[in-house]
Amino acid sequence: MLEIVVILVILMLDQGSKIIAADWLTTLPDNTYPLIQDIFHLSYVENRGAAFGMLQNGRVYFLIVTVIVCVAIAVFLFKERGKLHFLLRFSLALIVGGALGNFIDRAYLGYVRDMFYAVCINFAVFNVADSAICVGSALLFLDLMFFKGKYLFEDKPKAAQDDAEEDAPRTQDVDGDTKTVPIVSVKQESLEEDED
């Protein structure tokens, strides 16, 4: 449910901002409105490449890659849902939401509408979808490197965890003293009975 909400919010913000930019900024000189003069502008640009204007005129390639990536992430989220914690699910949803936002533009218009321009660092013009992909990727990297995500693929299967818990030593009260006593698992007892 979280993933669907995040994806829908990103799509609404992305498509809404693109519609406003295309309708409003195109009526201004140079298609630009300075929010903070020479620092941050709203500038309407039609990008026929990937994020931040890279790899121009690769529309079919980007459409195919987007479908493959989104389907792979969706399958992963569905199959591993019980094992995934909040940050991992949130970061993957941001990536999918951003990818779908730009996918819609490429599929219907043949280009992606960008409007945010950090003039002070002369950075490429970008949009909400690009931002979602970058933030999601950064969170995913941090999670997989430093937080719970790094243990995702190291977890024991549930059956192995249950067996380990069964075989773990227990404390037992013997003549008023608490002592640690190993508990023999049911599987081990059955093996010993078979040998007799």
Side-chain angles (χ1 to χ4, degrees), residues 109-156:
L109 302 173
Y111 55 85
V112 174
R113 298 165 288 182
D114 292 331
M115 75 288 303
F116 301 121
Y117 182 34
V119 181
C120 59
I121 57 172
N122 195 23
F123 191 66
V125 184
F126 59 98
N127 58 39
V128 172
D130 296 334
S131 302
I133 292 169
C134 288
V135 171
S137 298
L139 290 175
L140 180 63
F141 175 78
L142 289 172
D143 186 51
L144 292 175
M145 292 300 293
F146 304 109
F147 302 118
K148 292 182 181 178
K150 68 181 179 178
Y151 301 111
L152 177 66
F153 301 105
E154 297 173 7
D155 285 347
K156 294 179 182 177

Side-chain angles (χ1 to χ4, degrees), residues 73-112:
I73 292 174
V75 168
F76 175 73
L77 284 169
F78 180 75
K79 286 181 71 176
E80 303 294 334
R81 182 157 178 78
K83 291 171 67 176
L84 304 181
H85 56 279
F86 173 81
L87 184 58
L88 189 57
R89 290 167 44 219
F90 181 71
S91 62
L92 290 173
L94 284 175
I95 294 168
V96 171
L100 290 177
N102 284 339
F103 178 86
I104 291 169
D105 275 25
R106 283 195 187 95
Y108 289 102
L109 302 173
Y111 55 85
V112 174

Side-chain angles (χ1 to χ4, degrees), residues 59-69 103:
R59 180 183 178 211
V60 174
Y61 168 77
F62 296 129
L63 291 174
I64 292 169
V65 168
T66 301
V67 169
I68 292 169
V69 169
F103 178 86

